[in-house]
Amino acid sequence: VAADIRELIEVDDVMEDESLRFGPNGGLVFCMEYFANNFSWLEESLGHVEDDYVLFDCPGQIELYTHLPVMKQLVEQLQQWEFRVCGVFLVDSQFMVESFKFISGILAALSAMISLEIPQINVMTKMDLLSKKAKKEIEKYLDPDMYSMIEDSTDILKSKRFKKLTKSICGLIDDYGMVRFLPLDRSDEESINIILQHIDFTIQYGEDLEFKEPKECEEDKSALVDEYFQDHVDE
């Protein structure tokens, strides 16, 4: 571990401070804002990191990416230090097996993309915890047809207003094609390698690696994802 933010500030200390009296969420926000005002600590902790691969484990609370500028400030500071930055947005696959939950997950991922303004890889985690039936069902969400999802859910949408709103949201997602997901199965080494390859392509990690155009990356992604699901269907 190059740096541990708990050496700078801890949520528990903030919550226990009698003059602050924050709850868990308020304490986290206070800590992140304190961190943003002390980026010099991070620079000193990281030290000289030329050609190093640094992974930042960020808090999972979506409010930090949609309501506050802290994570954006961190990204901008890293870019000033000449880091090539890529976001990896994780969504629990067990949450994504229903159409409306999937749409919600896409909107959360899209919010982070818009807020941070950096290349982003979206990942469905915990695929190893899904049943074979659920794995087969979730395959359609990796490269979704949003309009088909609306048709599949017409019985659930009783209100015409919500039907119209949902159709507009799905149209926006489908027309721009900004969010796609990769499956992560921690028990499958190939699944992990696929995601790592996409991250490496995004930040062009390694000076001696051959440069890949985005179109080539998409072709690699489709082939590798198809191979992953074919292997699991055959089991």
Side-chain angles (χ1 to χ4, degrees), residues 51-187:
D51 293 331
D52 284 349
Y53 201 118
V54 182
L55 176 65
F56 292 87
D57 183 12
C58 300
Q61 281 79 354
I62 191 65
E63 293 83 2
L64 294 178
Y65 309 90
T66 58
H67 291 52
L68 300 171
V70 174
M71 299 307 297
K72 175 67 173 175
Q73 292 169 1
L74 173 60
V75 167
E76 291 174 346
Q77 184 63 73
L78 292 172
Q79 290 171 333
Q80 288 179 20
W81 293 337
E82 299 185 345
F83 277 83
R84 294 179 181 177
V85 185
C86 167
V88 182
F89 192 85
L90 307 179
V91 180
D92 191 331
S93 60
Q94 299 173 100
F95 172 79
M96 302 283 274
V97 293
E98 296 179 17
S99 297
F100 293 108
K101 292 180 180 179
F102 174 74
I103 294 172
S104 175
I106 280 189
L107 292 177
L110 190 57
S111 294
M113 289 176 66
I114 293 171
S115 173
L116 298 180
E117 296 182 316
I118 55 175
Q120 181 168 298
I121 306 297
N122 301 297
V123 179
M124 281 195 193
T125 65
K126 303 180 183 178
M127 294 291 293
D128 49 302
L129 300 182
L130 296 178
S131 65
K132 288 184 179 180
K133 181 180 179 181
K135 281 184 181 179
K136 185 64 178 176
E137 180 70 16
I138 210 169
E139 183 176 355
K140 68 182 181 183
Y141 294 123
L142 296 175
D143 190 14
D145 181 344
M146 301 306 299
Y147 293 104
S148 295
M149 288 188 185
I150 299 174
E151 294 175 3
D152 293 341
S153 307
T154 50
D155 292 338
I156 302 175
L157 288 169
K158 303 298 184 182
S159 169
K160 290 184 179 180
R161 285 193 304 166
F162 284 119
K163 284 183 183 179
K164 187 175 180 180
L165 175 61
T166 303
K167 186 175 181 179
S168 297
I169 292 173
C170 290
L172 174 68
I173 295 169
D174 194 75
D175 292 343
Y176 286 89
M178 296 177 67
V179 181
R180 292 293 183 272
F181 288 91
L182 294 171
L184 174 60
D185 182 338
R186 69 172 187 172
S187 65

Side-chain angles (χ1 to χ4, degrees), residues 10 12 44 49 52 56 59 94 97 126 133 136 144 165 167-168 189 218 222 224 230-233:
E10 286 197 48
D12 289 343
E44 182 180 343
V49 292
D52 284 349
F56 292 87
Q94 299 173 100
V97 293
K126 303 180 183 178
K133 181 180 179 181
K136 185 64 178 176
L165 175 61
K167 186 175 181 179
S168 297
E189 185 176 349
E218 285 300 315
S222 298
L224 290 168
Q230 186 59 49
D231 290 344
H232 285 74
V233 168

Side-chain angles (χ1 to χ4, degrees), residues 1-3 46 48-57 78 82-88 121 192-207 209:
V1 178
L46 291 176
H48 184 69
V49 292
E50 183 178 352
D51 293 331
D52 284 349
Y53 201 118
V54 182
L55 176 65
F56 292 87
D57 183 12
L78 292 172
E82 299 185 345
F83 277 83
R84 294 179 181 177
V85 185
C86 167
V88 182
I121 306 297
I192 299 172
N193 287 335
I194 290 171
I195 293 171
L196 183 58
Q197 286 174 22
H198 278 79
I199 296 171
D200 288 346
F201 292 156
T202 300
I203 61 176
Q204 292 296 297
Y205 177 70
E207 293 181 355
L209 297 179

